[in-house]
Structures are given as C-alpha cells and as structure tokens.
Amino acid sequence: MTVVSTTPDAAARTFTIVAELASPPSAVWQLWVDPRRLERWWGPPTWPATFTKHQPEPGGESRYYMTGPEGEKAHGWWRFVALDEPSSLEFEDGFGDAEGNPDAGMPTVTVRVALEEAAGGTRMTITSHFATDEQMHQLVEMGMAEGMSSAVEQMDGLLAPV
C-alpha cells in the first residue's frame, strides 16, 4: 500500500499524507515535475487531470483541470514557491475559473512535499497548510482526504518497471 497515513491537525491547520514508494526520490520527483506523468495521478481516478501549463521553478505557475465522471470540469492552479530536486517542493494550490486563474472565493493552500530516501525507495510527506480553521474544514468536508489518498495511491503503478 502506498499511503501509510493521513493526519489532519486542527491545531496546526495542516493535513498530512505520508506515502511509501518503492522507487528512489529521483523517480518520484519526475511524477511531480513532468506534466504528462503528473496528469496520470493528480486527481482521484474518477477525476483525471489535464495540465495546460506547468512551470516547476520558483515563481512558475501551473494551470489544470480535472474532468469528472459526467464530463464536468474543476479548474485549479499552482504557484511554485521553492524546489530542491529531488528532495522537496513547495507550492500554493487553489481552485480556478474556466481559464485556471485563481478563484478568490475559494481557499488557497500551501503545499510542502518532502521526498526522503527510505529502505527500498522513498518516503513522501505531503503537508497542506491552511490559512484558517474554516478553510481547512471546508476542504476536508469537500473530500480532500479521500481525493488526495486515492490520487497518491496511483503513483506506485506509474513507478513500476515496465
């Protein structure tokens, strides 16, 4: 199993997912920075992502949309804050309008990803930081834990030898 734990921490306003992957950090890193690989796991299996822009560099931006089972589209955006290949990345993540521009009416989350060498592969820790308790509650109620867990679970299949 890829996902080891999911931990909401109301006091710290964080939600953390820890996963163990049977590949080195450099391979896991590629799942974050290569938009075609990212599309194959970002989003739950029933809501696959399409990245229309992806600039993994400090100050770079990403635009994407996820397509639901009925053809509906949910747009999102990232703004990269920091990258340290292949061990960490940090970005702001939010909902977007039809062009993927930030939706001011929805929360923005700061996401920190740590990739650490572990026995037999990589231990990946994804920590989402919320500005307010209300934002954290809103996104958890929208199914963030289940959605992120099912998305991350797809990574092992993409890292398996062909």
Side-chain angles (χ1 to χ4, degrees):
M1 180 160 110
T2 302
V3 174
V4 175
S5 66
T6 58
T7 309
D9 182 340
R13 291 194 309 261
T14 60
F15 177 80
T16 303
I17 295 177
V18 177
E20 293 180 351
L21 302 152
S23 292
S26 59
V28 178
W29 176 265
Q30 288 304 310
L31 294 181
W32 285 96
V33 299
D34 179 333
R36 303 297 74 92
R37 291 182 186 189
L38 184 58
E39 288 176 336
R40 296 181 59 202
W41 73 269
W42 184 256
T46 57
W47 282 81
T50 301
F51 277 75
T52 58
K53 179 179 183 180
H54 191 58
Q55 299 170 309
E57 59 192 45
E61 296 183 347
S62 295
R63 297 286 188 266
Y64 68 92
Y65 60 89
M66 295 186 292
T67 305
E70 307 290 321
E72 64 273 40
K73 289 187 172 31
H75 294 265
W77 60 272
W78 292 357
R79 185 173 306 110
F80 288 94
V81 176
L83 294 94
D84 182 15
E85 182 179 352
S87 58
S88 66
L89 61 149
E90 180 178 340
F91 56 93
E92 295 175 336
D93 177 22
F95 291 88
D97 61 19
E99 286 77 44
N101 298 309
D103 179 346
M106 293 296 290
T108 296
V109 178
T110 300
V111 179
R112 291 189 181 104
V113 180
L115 305 174
E116 301 171 290
E117 242 181 87
T122 301
R123 183 175 183 87
M124 178 176 68
T125 304
I126 304 170
T127 305
S128 299
H129 299 264
F130 302 88
T132 67
D133 295 338
E134 294 77 21
Q135 289 178 352
M136 181 175 174
H137 180 73
Q138 179 182 8
L139 291 180
V140 169
E141 287 296 312
M142 290 174 68
M144 179 181 181
E146 298 82 5
M148 282 296 297
S149 292
S150 64
V152 169
E153 287 290 344
Q154 299 174 97
M155 291 176 120
D156 266 336
L158 300 172
L159 294 165
V162 186

